[in-house]
Amino acid sequence: DIQMTQSPSSLSASVGDRVTITCRASQGISTYLAWYQQKPGKLPTILIYAAYTLQSGVPSRFSGSGYGTDFTLTISGLQPEDFATYYCQEYKSAPFTFGPGTKVDIK
Amino acid sequence: QVQLVESGGGVVQPGRSLRLSCAASGFIFSDHGMHWLRQAPGKGLEWVALISYEGSSKYYADSVKGRFTISRDNSKNTLYLEMNRLRAEETAVYYCAKVADSSGYSHYDLWGRGTLVSVSS
């Protein structure tokens, strides 16, 4: 099974900051990677799929990059509504593992 | 309206069974792979099971293999999850999610609101 790790597990940032979250797969997954945002008490929402494709309607301050085993989610200019937990997920093969999440909160 | 609505959650004793349903509307259900996922209170997201668009391919997390069964009825636009021999640690909100394509191997572009399963004596 493919294992997914994320770093950091949490971070504190200010509005306007550039934030980078890293996701690593235990084996190569090409670009079969998605990023989801989840706010407390809410459903997860898709931000990025296929490693770098921005979901329609998602602000352009979100971007994704990477291939194989190492991936990055970047938020360029953090906004108040971006404080949330972010998960990566591989979908190359079952069991479609999620990363443990990165909580972004206000500094 | 494009939506998924789960039902069937509740309180169940350890070792007992429960069947979840997920009613789909607003899209061609039979064109899409479907997944079940869960999230324990205060924890992260956990993938549970996948079924392909026509139901011929099914995959399970190791933790539920042999106890949970995913199925679908495309004539009723409904996805199911039969859960047997439930464990206390499986207390969670269970979500159904629609995959963006027919294979099941893609990102989720629609989530249900979830149904809470509480396994407790």
Side-chain angles (χ1 to χ4, degrees), chain A residues 1 34 36 38 43-44 46 49 55 87 89 91-96 98, chain B residues 35 37 39 43-45 47 50 59 62 95 105-108 111-113:
Chain A
D1 294 354
Y36 297 90
Q38 188 177 33
L43 295 176
I46 181 74
Y49 63 93
Q55 173 73 5
Y87 297 94
Q89 185 201 23
Y91 51 88
K92 184 176 187 296
S93 63
F96 304 100
F98 286 90
Chain B
H35 292 222
L37 305 102
Q39 188 168 33
K43 302 297 184 182
L45 296 165
W47 177 79
L50 147 71
Y59 299 93
D62 286 346
Y95 298 101
Y105 290 73
S106 188
H107 63 285
Y108 308 123
W111 296 66
R113 297 184 66 82

Side-chain angles (χ1 to χ4, degrees), chain B residues 49-90:
Chain B
L50 147 71
I51 187 167
S52 59
Y53 70 101
E54 86 288 28
S56 64
S57 297
K58 303 176 185 181
Y59 299 93
Y60 300 92
D62 286 346
S63 59
V64 308
K65 204 172 294 182
R67 298 185 298 119
F68 287 17
T69 302
I70 189 172
S71 61
R72 64 190 298 161
D73 185 336
N74 285 345
S75 68
K76 295 182 178 179
N77 291 339
T78 303
L79 174 73
Y80 302 100
L81 184 68
E82 182 77 33
M83 305 184 294
N84 298 318
R85 303 196 306 277
L86 280 160
R87 304 166 179 168
E89 60 267 29
E90 294 178 312

Side-chain angles (χ1 to χ4, degrees), chain A residues 73-85:
Chain A
L73 173 70
T74 300
I75 311 172
S76 301
L78 197 67
Q79 296 300 299
E81 60 267 30
D82 300 337
F83 292 97
T85 299

